[in-house]
Amino acid sequence: MRGGEDRGRPRGLLRILGVASGVAVAVSGTIGSGIFRTPGVIATQLGDAYLILGLWVLGGVVFTCGALTYAELGSRYPESGGLFNYIRRAYGDGAGSVYGWLFTMVIGAAPVATLSVVFGEYVVRLAGVSPQLVQPFAVGAIVVFTVANLAGLRWGAGTQNVLTLVKILGMAGLVIVAFLHPPAPGAGKAYPGAERYEAGLLVAFALAFQSVIYAYDGFGDPLKVGEEIHHPERNLPRSLIGGVLVITAVYLALNGAFLWSVPLDVMARSNLVAGEAAARLFGRAGDAVIVTLAIVSVLGTLNTSLLVNPRVAYATARAGLMPKAFTRVNAGGTPTVATLWTAAVGLILALSGTFEELLTVLTFAIALGEVGTTGSLFVFRSRDPRAPSFRVPGYPVVPGIFLLVNLGFALSVLLLRPAQAAVGSAVVAAAALGYVLWRRAPGSPAQP
């Protein structure tokens, strides 16, 4: 099937989210623990304050192009389910099924595991208790936020809004305090041991930009709750664009504060640059300040994952490409089976410690999904020339820029991690075989 017709589309999702909630989903789904760790990696690669800030400005431009591209997609088809909807509509049930199954089985649950374990690690560090308590804390976080989201969309979104507000206020406070202090001795001085001196500026810049791509992962999360936003044709684009603008502002402000407070040679040797900055600004209490801020940040992103990721399974099942049980929605507007599945797989992965390996081998598949989604806009423009409520300005250049970046990222994974890319491709092939078998199964709703 290639059009927009859905088979047996059940009702149940509630249209109760506003633009503020949409922006909160984008911001909190994107700004997690990565921004606290990536500055050290980037400083090692570039070793120059102006290059580092320029890299983040470039990231803001590129992902604004991405937000504009996704805004037209969301305006054309304002449905919950995220990238699945556009891959399926553009390339057919087979491609949609592969993406939907991969996301439901692993991709959507792995962040739940990752974030819960990071939360456990930070709590153990803050409380000074045994590292053996990391997993119990991780399990507790998953259970608490699963219950909050099962209580209904209002509870899940309300929790999201509060955590996002606290996160942004905390980061803003860190930036303000940083710039109220004089610059650190040697701040801004180039780091002579940077990789760019040996590998070349272009190579180092390209490698550093991969960290920026990872840091923006999640900006399209409002698409996963598209039909649950009031007037989605108008407010979904606002959520996406507003979210990326807030994310970019936060990243630029934080990196500026880090460069002001921490010399580049110290940044390059640190796994937690934010901690180095906080130690200078708050003294002995600095570690507690930054760990507390990181905990709030991680919890917000964990809640986002449990709020929006189950919608992909819901949409895939609604299209007849997964068991119908995933379409069950409770009175509060939560896909219950899909949410419980995401939480259960996340728990298993968190306890097994295999989530990082799974994400590594599936990076290529994830990159292909981004490429396919960005390319779908060109398919829709040629197939359906009608004008949606939002159209990308500067078409085809703006979506073309984002498509080229996604293609470049996919190729970098293929070239730099060929073994992982091969395994990821094999997993995609297995999912495609699964779709064929599912389609032929007696009584399957996917039968033609």
Side-chain angles (χ1 to χ4, degrees):
M1 185 182 92
R2 284 185 176 271
E5 307 86 1
D6 288 312
R7 306 184 186 95
R9 181 170 183 166
R11 297 179 182 272
L13 297 180
L14 304 179
R15 184 163 289 176
I16 60 176
L17 301 179
V19 175
S21 292
V23 171
V25 164
V27 171
S28 203
T30 303
I31 304 176
S33 60
I35 188 58
F36 296 104
R37 299 181 181 273
T38 55
V41 176
I42 294 174
T44 301
Q45 291 162 334
L46 298 181
D48 182 273
Y50 292 106
L51 288 176
I52 291 170
L53 290 176
L55 180 79
W56 287 101
V57 169
L58 178 63
V61 172
V62 167
F63 282 92
T64 298
C65 291
L68 293 169
T69 301
Y70 282 7
E72 179 170 334
L73 291 173
S75 178
R76 281 179 175 271
Y77 304 109
E79 302 171 341
S80 293
L83 308 190
F84 161 80
N85 291 314
Y86 314 111
I87 291 173
R88 171 178 165 258
R89 286 179 178 276
Y91 313 112
D93 277 357
S97 175
V98 168
Y99 180 84
W101 276 91
L102 284 177
F103 192 95
T104 300
M105 296 298 106
V106 180
I107 297 172
V112 173
T114 305
L115 293 161
S116 66
V117 171
V118 170
F119 164 75
E121 292 172 345
Y122 278 134
V123 171
V124 164
R125 177 173 174 171
L126 181 64
V129 296
S130 171
Q132 294 181 347
L133 294 175
V134 168
Q135 286 188 329
F137 281 124
V139 170
I142 293 175
V143 171
V144 168
F145 286 104
T146 299
V147 171
N149 281 284
L150 286 174
L153 180 59
R154 293 185 189 277
W155 278 94
T159 302
Q160 188 63 62
N161 293 346
V162 170
L163 287 171
T164 303
L165 180 61
V166 173
K167 177 190 301 191
I168 295 301
L169 290 176
M171 291 181 176
L174 179 64
V175 171
I176 291 170
V177 172
F179 284 113
L180 287 176
H181 282 69
K189 183 180 179 181
Y191 170 53
E195 294 175 3
R196 69 184 175 95
Y197 294 110
E198 182 176 347
L201 178 58
L202 186 61
V203 172
F205 202 85
L207 291 173
F209 196 67
Q210 288 189 3
S211 296
V212 174
I213 291 175
Y214 281 117
Y216 273 91
D217 183 42
F219 83 97
D221 276 356
L223 293 174
K224 296 173 184 173
V225 290
E227 67 196 71
E228 296 157 88
I229 295 177
H230 287 300
H231 307 293
E233 296 86 356
R234 180 176 70 246
N235 290 334
L236 190 51
R238 292 175 178 175
S239 299
L240 288 159
I241 297 167
V244 164
L245 293 178
V246 171
I247 293 163
T248 301
V250 169
Y251 283 166
L252 285 172
L254 280 175
N255 276 278
F258 295 156
L259 290 166
W260 182 265
S261 304
V262 184
L264 278 165
D265 60 335
V266 177
M267 289 179 66
R269 294 192 299 267
S270 175
N271 293 323
L272 189 61
V273 172
E276 302 287 347
R280 178 174 183 268
L281 299 175
F282 303 102
R284 296 179 63 182
D287 187 68
V289 169
I290 206 63
V291 170
T292 301
L293 182 56
I295 286 174
V296 174
S297 182
V298 167
L299 288 180
T301 310
L302 174 61
N303 185 71
T304 302
S305 296
L306 287 165
L307 172 66
V308 303
N309 287 354
R311 267 67 179 175
V312 178
Y314 170 87
T316 308
R318 183 171 64 181
L321 301 175
M322 288 185 72
K324 190 176 180 180
F326 285 103
T327 63
R328 293 177 185 169
V329 178
N330 65 19
T334 299
T336 49
V337 175
T339 299
L340 288 170
W341 173 270
T342 302
V345 176
L347 280 170
I348 293 170
L349 294 177
L351 293 172
S352 67
T354 59
F355 49 87
E356 291 181 344
E357 291 83 354
L358 286 169
L359 278 178
T360 298
V361 300
L362 286 174
T363 298
F364 187 58
I366 296 170
L368 290 179
E370 298 282 353
V371 170
T373 301
T374 309
S376 71
L377 179 60
F378 296 89
V379 175
F380 298 144
R381 282 281 189 117
S382 63
R383 183 189 299 168
D384 183 6
R386 67 186 176 88
S389 59
F390 181 88
R391 289 174 69 89
V392 179
Y395 179 90
V397 174
V398 168
I401 290 172
F402 195 57
L403 179 60
L404 288 175
V405 169
N406 280 307
L407 278 172
F409 180 64
L411 288 174
S412 71
V413 174
L414 183 63
L415 294 174
L416 299 175
R417 300 176 180 173
Q420 291 90 332
V423 175
S425 299
V427 173
V428 171
L433 177 60
Y435 164 71
V436 173
L437 296 176
W438 168 259
R439 188 178 179 86
R440 293 180 178 178
S444 169
Q447 284 188 327

